[in-house]
Amino acid sequence: MDKRYIAPIIITILAVIYLLGMAAAFFSALLQGMPFVLFLLLVIVPVGAAAGIVYMLIQRIREIRGGEEDEAGKY
């Protein structure tokens, strides 16, 4: 594995763990009597954000493979 992939992968793993931890906390609140509709609203945000972060990681890996290491450097 190339060193250029390490930072995006680590940041993605940490962010996804944090966001899924938030979703798990909301799940425990559901078990303690939180209304189900509120639970759905509160879980959709961190799970959607985690999915978006994983998607952005995939795009970043494609950029690195394509030779675009510093996308902002073009501007």
Side-chain angles (χ1 to χ4, degrees), residues 9 15-16 24-26 29 34 38 44-45 48 51 53-54 65-66 70 73:
I9 290 172
V16 167
F26 292 135
M34 175 189 283
L38 181 61
I44 287 173
V45 173
I53 290 171
V54 170
R65 285 184 183 160
D70 187 14

Side-chain angles (χ1 to χ4, degrees), residues 7-54:
I9 290 172
I10 289 174
I11 296 300
T12 300
I13 290 170
L14 292 175
V16 167
I17 288 172
Y18 175 75
L19 291 167
L20 293 181
M22 285 178 49
F26 292 135
F27 182 73
S28 71
L30 173 68
L31 296 177
Q32 295 178 6
M34 175 189 283
F36 186 71
V37 174
L38 181 61
F39 165 74
L40 284 179
L41 292 174
L42 291 175
V43 168
I44 287 173
V45 173
V47 170
I53 290 171
V54 170

Side-chain angles (χ1 to χ4, degrees), residues 60 63-64 67-75:
R60 180 66 184 138
E63 287 176 1
I64 292 172
E68 301 174 19
E69 290 181 37
D70 187 14
E71 185 81 13
K74 295 191 298 187
Y75 301 103

